[in-house]
Amino acid sequence: MWESESESVSGRDYGNGVLSNTKHGVKTDGFEQKGQSWYVETDIPSDLLVQIGDVSFHLHKYPLLSRSGKMNRIIYETRDEELSRIALNDLPGGWDAFELAAKFCYGIAVDLTATNISGLRCAAEYLEMTEDLEEGNLIFKTEAFLSYVVLSSWRDSILVLKSCERLSPWAENLQIVRRCSESIAWKACANPKGIKWQYTGRLPTSVSSPKWNEMKDSSPSRNNQQLVPPDWWFEDVSILRIDHFVRVITAIKVKGMRHELIGAVLMHYATKWIPGLIKEGLGSLDDCSNSSISNGSSSSSWKGGLHMIVSGSRDEVPPTVQAKDQRMIIESLISIIPQQKDSVSCSFLLRLLRMANLLKVAPALVTELEKRVGMQFEQATLADLLIPSYNKSETLYDVDLVQRLLEHFLVQEQTESSSPSRSSFSDKHMHDANQRGTNLNAKMRVAKLVDSYLTEVSRDRNLSLTKFQVLAEALPESARTCDDGLYRAIDSYLKAHPTLSEHERKRLCRVMDCQKLSIDACMHAAQNERLPLRVVVQVLFSEQVKISNAISSSSLKDAGESHYQPLVSNRKTLLEATPQSFQEGWTTAKKDINTLKFELDTMKAKYLQLQNDMDNLQKQFDKITKPKQGSGWTAGWKKLSKLTKMTHLESQENSPHAPNAEPTRKTPRRWRNSIS
């Protein structure tokens, strides 16, 4: 049925691919071209000039009037019998199609091919060459050729659909696009059993089954059957314009094609027509498509195939696509991505999202694409997340976009975990447990990804503390079993923002749980001068608590095992019975414990010294700033005290009893001191 792909259309038996009409009024040997003009080779002078663009045809009225209803109307409705010039600039197919139609009217043999049949069919419809004027007119014959020859051939269906790109809306109204799309879809989904495939490329040395038995059709026989890669049709349909490509893919989806294959062909088409989608080369998407359409098959080594007949080499550079056309391609691809989760890779979706933001795609489609990325966010990589900010944002990367993607991921995880199941209680219990484990693993992968992303974007001086904090706190605490990645991001942010206040640094470090830091991270944090002192103390305290808990649990375990094991007689026997690895590990642990204790004592001593220095500075400051207070009462009391002292000295000199003078001297002193 499909053997016609390699043979010439003119050699077929449907009129030999040649249209001829023996009933003509002017005997001629053919047409002759002179520059931009065509002449009929006959002795009868022409009486009608048909102008199509820059090309003119010098013809005769009778052959055209007898087979074209439109020419009849143009000539007779004007009621000008001497009308000798007609302009048909809106003729579909242009002057090429009119040349074939004019030759048919003169009875000259016309060679029908897949490249000219669509234009000739539209021109026949435009010229109204129906059966009412003559039996076996051009509309009937071109329609028969389309139905019986073109639609039975894969190659011809592709070529005709490609030629319809310049025939809109005629090709659409005449159902040529629909019929060719249906034909291509049927052949792409068909069972390859019994079909003589023709390859011009190199076949792989070892190819496993492409798993056609997973399709709705029955599995093909493997006896004497040449294995066909499931992506054999990708390159052929990728040469189509985006609107026709969408028609073909829609028809293929209706016929039950696997969603992995549909996603792979979408990635192949996007790679071909959107040059900026993959800057590093085509390898990543090709690998994704190959892995999704065939498990274990080496289809990536296959460089040839049926598409070579239609589109030539795979290395052919596609034509330059304007930004407007790229926007239309991206919008169309987003609308036909299968709804299944793993139809396309997350890397492809993120690169498509990058181009969508760059080309200002419709916001509704961008939101839909963001939701699709959220469904597979755990598969993303850091390189794909580093999407530049194409709007007027101050940040280098689009942090708000990653925040939205993370929110879509969390919503999707919540929806999957809360979705009801119709299975039995035991099965449902096992399914829920597996689902929780899967969701937790996905969240842990996303947490590592977010920490790496924060470390990368934290170097941007324009990144606000609020955006950093919101993105870091978006995931639940259970998603992170270790906060080392988050600590690296915080340290990187502190390096890039040295002007943060003490309050802002404390607020930044609040997103990190000191109890989830590893020993290496704790040792680095204890010596990190950029961290607030309170955070350093928390890190050391939490590490000491963990070490104490580990020692106590080890002691309890040893005590519990001692009831079941014989006591060791001496230390030498204990060391001999202990494995070498455990001894080395315990020695290292003791060293770490002593090091941490020493650092903690040193930190406490520094803290007390700083506290004393601060108290002394405060006292000195108070003395300096305290004003001297004085009044008339104080001066009066000082004078009175001085006068009293002088009076007692005089009385002591005149008194003969010197020992009795001591009590009288002490009493005023106590009174003076108590008053002053």
Side-chain angles (χ1 to χ4, degrees):
M1 178 176 57
W2 294 4
E3 292 91 341
S4 59
E5 294 158 1
S6 61
E7 63 189 40
S8 175
V9 181
S10 61
R12 298 189 177 102
D13 195 29
Y14 185 78
N16 291 326
V18 177
L19 295 185
S20 61
N21 193 344
T22 57
K23 299 179 181 180
H24 53 84
V26 179
K27 186 176 181 180
T28 178
D29 295 330
F31 280 28
E32 180 183 5
Q33 184 179 13
K34 296 180 182 180
Q36 295 292 325
S37 301
W38 287 83
Y39 297 89
V40 182
E41 295 180 353
T42 180
D43 296 334
I44 304 175
S46 63
D47 57 356
L48 180 63
L49 175 65
V50 179
Q51 188 75 28
I52 302 176
D54 297 333
V55 181
S56 58
F57 292 85
H58 299 267
L59 306 174
H60 303 83
K61 292 182 180 178
Y62 176 73
L64 298 179
L65 296 179
S66 61
R67 292 169 182 84
S68 173
K70 186 176 184 65
M71 301 297 287
N72 267 290
R73 269 201 333 276
I74 292 176
I75 293 176
Y76 289 114
E77 285 181 0
T78 57
R79 296 181 181 181
D80 185 3
E81 296 180 358
E82 297 182 358
L83 180 65
S84 60
R85 187 179 184 279
I86 298 176
L88 301 176
N89 293 323
D90 56 347
L91 177 76
W95 66 267
D96 296 327
F98 183 79
E99 176 198 352
L100 298 177
K103 287 181 178 180
F104 175 79
C105 293
Y106 278 89
I108 302 174
V110 177
D111 189 7
L112 296 182
T113 63
T115 55
N116 63 23
I117 185 61
S118 58
L120 187 57
R121 173 66 183 89
C122 295
E125 189 72 22
Y126 176 87
L127 295 172
E128 301 175 12
M129 303 177 71
T130 62
E131 296 295 293
D132 296 337
L133 298 175
E134 182 179 350
E135 186 178 355
N137 210 342
L138 188 57
I139 290 180
F140 172 79
K141 293 192 175 183
T142 52
E143 189 66 31
F145 185 84
L146 275 171
S147 301
Y148 294 104
V149 178
V150 171
L151 298 181
S152 64
S153 168
W154 168 267
R155 173 184 179 274
D156 293 347
S157 299
I158 292 286
L159 291 179
V160 170
L161 188 56
K162 181 68 177 175
S163 66
C164 290
E165 296 177 359
R166 53 187 178 86
L167 297 173
S168 299
W170 288 90
E172 190 73 36
N173 296 335
L174 295 175
Q175 304 297 319
I176 300 177
V177 174
R178 182 191 62 80
R179 287 182 290 173
C180 289
S181 301
E182 292 288 339
S183 174
I184 295 170
W186 182 87
K187 292 174 177 61
C189 297
N191 193 319
K193 181 180 179 181
I195 298 175
K196 295 181 180 179
W197 300 90
Q198 298 181 1
Y199 293 95
T200 57
R202 175 175 57 86
L203 283 175
T205 56
S206 60
V207 181
S208 61
S209 172
K211 295 191 176 182
W212 285 86
N213 55 347
E214 295 183 8
M215 299 175 60
K216 291 188 175 181
D217 298 324
S218 59
S219 60
S221 174
R222 297 185 181 179
N223 298 327
N224 300 325
Q225 172 67 31
Q226 181 177 336
L227 294 178
V228 179
D231 61 346
W232 65 267
W233 51 279
F234 284 11
E235 189 68 22
D236 283 350
V237 299
S238 295
I239 69 173
L240 301 174
R241 199 173 63 186
I242 182 61
D243 53 342
H244 294 162
F245 176 78
V246 170
R247 293 287 295 269
V248 172
I249 297 302
T250 303
I252 288 176
K253 291 171 67 175
V254 171
K255 296 185 183 302
M257 176 70 75
R258 291 182 303 171
H259 63 87
E260 296 93 347
L261 281 173
I262 296 176
V265 73
L266 295 183
M267 291 190 288
H268 187 90
Y269 188 90
T271 302
K272 185 179 182 68
W273 289 99
I274 308 177
L277 188 65
I278 304 298
K279 293 183 179 179
E280 296 81 9
L282 308 182
S284 58
L285 287 189
D286 288 344
D287 294 340
C288 295
S289 62
N290 291 333
S291 61
S292 63
I293 62 178
S294 137
N295 297 329
S297 64
S298 58
S299 59
S300 59
S301 61
W302 175 71
K303 299 295 183 182
L306 185 63
H307 66 83
M308 300 289 287
I309 301 174
V310 177
S311 57
S313 173
R314 289 184 65 168
D315 299 332
E316 180 182 356
V317 179
T320 304
V321 184
Q322 300 297 329
K324 181 179 179 181
D325 297 330
Q326 289 189 12
R327 186 186 307 114
M328 183 175 63
I329 291 173
I330 291 176
E331 292 176 350
S332 301
L333 291 178
I334 294 174
S335 63
I336 61 174
I337 294 177
Q339 296 297 322
Q340 288 79 359
K341 182 177 180 179
D342 294 324
S343 301
V344 294
S345 66
C346 187
S347 177
F348 169 75
L349 292 175
L350 284 169
R351 293 173 185 271
L352 200 63
L353 182 58
R354 180 200 299 257
M355 293 299 297
N357 289 332
L358 176 62
L359 298 174
K360 308 298 181 183
V361 172
L365 292 174
V366 173
T367 302
E368 181 65 24
L369 188 57
E370 291 177 357
K371 292 180 180 179
R372 293 302 308 270
V373 175
M375 293 172 59
Q376 306 171 223
F377 196 55
E378 69 277 7
Q379 304 172 7
T381 61
L382 177 60
D384 296 329
L385 279 184
L386 295 176
I387 300 176
S389 181
Y390 296 110
N391 51 20
K392 296 182 179 180
S393 176
E394 296 180 353
T395 57
L396 179 62
Y397 296 107
D398 199 342
V399 182
D400 295 333
L401 173 61
V402 177
Q403 176 69 29
R404 292 195 301 269
L405 297 179
L406 187 56
E407 292 174 356
H408 290 312
F409 167 76
L410 295 175
V411 170
Q412 180 67 24
E413 291 292 316
Q414 184 68 24
T415 304
E416 291 181 356
S417 60
S418 61
S419 59
S421 177
R422 297 184 180 180
S423 57
S424 61
F425 177 78
S426 59
D427 295 340
K428 182 179 180 180
H429 183 72
M430 294 179 61
H431 177 268
D432 292 343
N434 295 333
Q435 187 68 29
R436 284 195 297 269
T438 304
N439 293 345
L440 183 59
N441 293 333
K443 289 180 181 178
M444 292 174 64
R445 289 194 296 269
V446 170
K448 292 181 180 179
L449 178 64
V450 171
D451 293 345
S452 301
Y453 180 79
L454 286 173
T455 304
E456 188 67 27
V457 301
S458 62
R459 302 185 181 97
D460 187 1
R461 294 182 179 272
N462 294 325
L463 179 64
S464 65
L465 177 60
T466 302
K467 287 187 177 182
F468 185 96
Q469 186 177 7
V470 169
L471 187 57
E473 295 177 344
L475 287 168
E477 295 183 358
S478 60
R480 292 185 178 93
T481 57
C482 180
D483 277 7
D484 287 4
L486 197 56
Y487 169 70
R488 280 191 294 270
I490 292 174
D491 186 47
S492 177
Y493 190 87
L494 290 174
K495 286 181 182 178
H497 301 78
T499 58
L500 290 178
S501 64
E502 183 73 13
H503 173 71
E504 290 174 335
R505 287 190 294 151
K506 289 181 180 180
R507 176 184 163 193
L508 175 65
C509 295
R510 201 174 296 132
V511 303
M512 175 183 61
D513 188 356
C514 298
Q515 297 180 0
K516 292 184 179 181
L517 295 178
S518 64
I519 295 179
D520 294 335
C522 287
M523 294 180 65
H524 186 277
Q527 303 173 3
N528 194 343
E529 298 178 354
R530 290 178 291 272
L531 295 178
L533 182 60
R534 181 181 182 128
V535 176
V536 175
V537 173
Q538 287 179 355
V539 169
L540 295 174
F541 178 75
S542 63
E543 190 60 26
Q544 187 179 21
V545 169
K546 285 191 290 184
I547 294 174
S548 301
N549 293 336
I551 295 174
S552 60
S553 61
S554 177
S555 301
L556 292 175
K557 184 177 180 181
D558 294 341
E561 292 177 352
S562 63
H563 296 286
Y564 305 98
Q565 297 178 357
L567 295 176
V568 183
S569 58
N570 52 23
R571 177 180 177 84
K572 182 178 180 180
T573 308
L574 176 63
L575 292 175
E576 291 176 354
T578 304
Q580 184 68 22
S581 61
F582 182 81
Q583 294 180 22
E584 294 176 356
W586 178 247
T587 303
T588 305
K590 287 180 65 177
K591 290 181 180 179
D592 294 338
I593 292 172
N594 294 332
T595 302
L596 290 173
K597 285 183 177 180
F598 176 75
E599 290 179 354
L600 183 60
D601 294 339
T602 304
M603 187 60 63
K604 288 181 179 179
K606 289 182 179 180
Y607 181 76
L608 293 176
Q609 183 65 30
L610 289 173
Q611 189 70 28
N612 293 331
D613 294 342
M614 184 175 178
D615 293 340
N616 294 333
L617 290 174
Q618 186 66 33
K619 290 179 181 179
Q620 294 178 6
F621 181 75
D622 292 341
K623 289 181 179 180
I624 294 173
T625 57
K626 185 177 180 180
K628 295 183 178 180
Q629 297 179 357
S631 62
W633 288 98
T634 304
W637 283 112
K638 286 183 178 180
K639 291 180 180 181
L640 181 62
S641 176
K642 186 176 181 181
L643 182 61
T644 305
K645 185 176 181 180
M646 292 175 63
T647 305
H648 280 282
L649 289 174
E650 292 176 356
S651 62
Q652 185 177 1
E653 291 177 355
N654 298 328
S655 175
H657 304 285
N660 296 332
E662 186 66 23
T664 59
R665 186 179 61 84
K666 291 182 179 179
T667 303
R669 184 185 297 258
R670 287 198 301 271
W671 172 77
R672 179 177 59 83
N673 290 338
S674 63
I675 293 177
S676 59

